[in-house]
Amino acid sequence: MKKLLILLSLWLASAAALAGDLPYDEQADAKAELSRTLDAAKQGRQPVLLILGANWCPDCRALDAALSSGKSAELLAREFKVVKVDVGNFDHNLDIDTEYGHPIAKGIPAAVVLSPDNKVIYATRAGELADARRMSETGIYEFFERVSRLGRTSQ
């Protein structure tokens, strides 16, 4: 019994450690985070990149990893205020998805670029990122570089 409890506590500790590395905060108040990000975008006169996804989704995790390092991370930091919204099993924060035209309809991850005054500049509508784990880092960078140009031209 003692060994079982030790194994169980080790498993729980490793699960908790892994959860810390997951890109989407399942407990976050997504509306409040989005509101704060839009406020910061107004002050910085930058567009907002809203990324909708879920921790269970391998493509969402692959996209997050690609956007967290190298040229893509530099591009996002320079061009956008970023907010990530957890959609769970397509049952969480769906009001946000609906508000921006249902970009998750063809899969996740999905992205929406918003002007600082909360107008949609661009949204994935055809599942453009839903196969992110098969996109190269260069492909992901080029996608967001094109999207960033849309954000710049709309200001």
Side-chain angles (χ1 to χ4, degrees), residues 13-66:
S14 66
L18 286 175
D21 294 337
L22 296 174
Y24 297 91
D25 182 351
E26 297 172 1
Q27 306 306 315
D29 181 342
K31 286 182 185 176
E33 251 183 74
L34 181 56
S35 178
R36 283 190 297 272
T37 304
L38 283 164
D39 288 344
K42 285 177 191 169
Q43 292 176 356
R45 300 175 63 140
Q46 279 184 292
V48 171
L49 175 61
L50 171 63
I51 300 179
L52 299 113
N55 290 325
W56 59 263
C57 168
D59 291 299
C60 299
R61 290 192 313 271
L63 179 66
D64 187 70

Side-chain angles (χ1 to χ4, degrees), residues 108-138:
I108 55 175
V112 179
V113 176
L114 301 168
S115 66
D117 62 345
N118 201 20
K119 304 264 189 293
V120 175
I121 297 169
Y122 171 82
T124 55
R125 301 274 187 236
E128 293 91 326
L129 297 169
D131 204 16
R133 64 191 146 152
R134 290 185 179 77
M135 295 172 74
S136 67
E137 283 189 34
T138 301

Side-chain angles (χ1 to χ4, degrees), residues 69-138:
S69 64
K71 292 189 326 181
S72 292
E74 293 169 14
L75 174 72
L76 264 58
R78 182 177 64 244
E79 298 292 331
F80 299 104
K81 298 291 185 190
V82 180
V83 63
K84 295 183 283 188
V85 173
D86 174 59
V87 297
N89 288 308
F90 298 95
D91 61 355
H92 197 62
N93 293 313
L94 296 183
D95 51 339
I96 293 172
D97 173 59
T98 300
E99 182 176 346
Y100 298 112
H102 199 40
I104 69 171
K106 299 282 183 171
I108 55 175
V112 179
V113 176
L114 301 168
S115 66
D117 62 345
N118 201 20
K119 304 264 189 293
V120 175
I121 297 169
Y122 171 82
T124 55
R125 301 274 187 236
E128 293 91 326
L129 297 169
D131 204 16
R133 64 191 146 152
R134 290 185 179 77
M135 295 172 74
S136 67
E137 283 189 34
T138 301

